[in-house]
Amino acid sequence: MKIWTALKEALAGWIAMVRGEADWQRHFAISAAGLTTALVLFLFFALLSIALATADVGIPNFFGLIIALLVQSLSILALLIGILVTRRMVPGEVRLLDLLVPGIYALIAYLVVGTLLSLIAGPVLILLWIGLAVLLFYLGWRAAEWNIGVAAAFAALTMVLLVGMPVTLYMVLGPVAAPPP
């Protein structure tokens, strides 16, 4: 199946990126079609996460499901803002898709592992945040070829946005928009 192949290749691409292999990009479809595949996979796993998280109380109605998907999708917005702000502050030619496609696959892993951990051992989620920050650092360092300081700033900014946006939304809207795991 193409879905499992895309996920398997994304995992191989992330392993190659962390190892510092020069050909890590060959594992990702860095194109509009690859971005669409990553977004569809993210939405699929977000729906699955919502179903697992609400299994004991029942799946929300259509409006509640849309709200939950929008809240889950804030992580993609946080990644996009982190990329755009960093690109604007640091001179150079970094293509958006080079960062966005692998970044969305990292968010898929974060979503899946976060959902499972929240069901089993919620306090361990802090370790998951650290793991995602490390992946975001490698994304900036290897994919964008930013120096270590800029890559660390990119990871920190994206993590602040990733955690802060849903919490802010929750404070403004109340329990309708509970933060994702």
Side-chain angles (χ1 to χ4, degrees):
M1 290 181 85
K2 189 175 182 178
I3 291 172
W4 298 115
T5 303
L7 290 172
K8 186 177 94 176
E9 283 296 312
L11 178 63
W14 268 105
I15 290 170
M17 187 186 304
V18 170
R19 287 182 179 168
E21 296 174 12
D23 65 342
W24 64 266
Q25 282 185 324
R26 72 179 174 86
H27 296 284
F28 297 99
I30 307 226
S31 63
L35 177 62
T36 303
T37 301
L39 289 172
V40 167
L41 285 170
F42 181 88
L43 290 176
F44 170 75
F45 283 107
L47 279 171
L48 190 61
S49 170
I50 293 165
L52 285 173
T54 60
D56 57 341
V57 294
I59 294 180
N61 62 21
F62 180 74
F63 180 71
L65 195 59
I66 296 298
I67 294 286
L69 276 175
L70 287 174
V71 170
Q72 293 282 8
S73 298
L74 285 176
S75 58
I76 295 173
L77 182 61
L79 175 66
L80 181 62
I81 291 171
I83 292 169
L84 293 176
V85 167
T86 307
R87 274 183 33 185
R88 186 167 179 93
M89 297 296 167
V90 178
E93 292 292 323
V94 178
R95 289 186 27 205
L96 181 63
L97 288 179
D98 288 345
L99 297 171
L100 198 55
V101 172
I104 291 173
Y105 281 107
L107 292 176
I108 290 170
Y110 168 74
L111 182 64
V112 170
V113 175
T115 300
L116 295 175
L117 283 178
S118 67
L119 295 173
I120 299 167
V124 182
L125 287 174
I126 293 173
L127 294 175
L128 181 63
W129 288 346
I130 293 169
L132 181 60
V134 168
L135 290 180
L136 290 172
F137 167 78
Y138 277 104
L139 182 66
W141 191 30
R142 304 275 196 221
E145 298 179 352
W146 291 322
N147 65 40
I148 291 174
V150 173
F154 161 71
L157 170 65
T158 306
M159 289 304 296
V160 166
L161 290 169
L162 185 70
V163 173
M165 287 172 43
V167 170
T168 303
L169 187 62
Y170 181 76
M171 289 176 7
V172 171
L173 298 177
V176 168

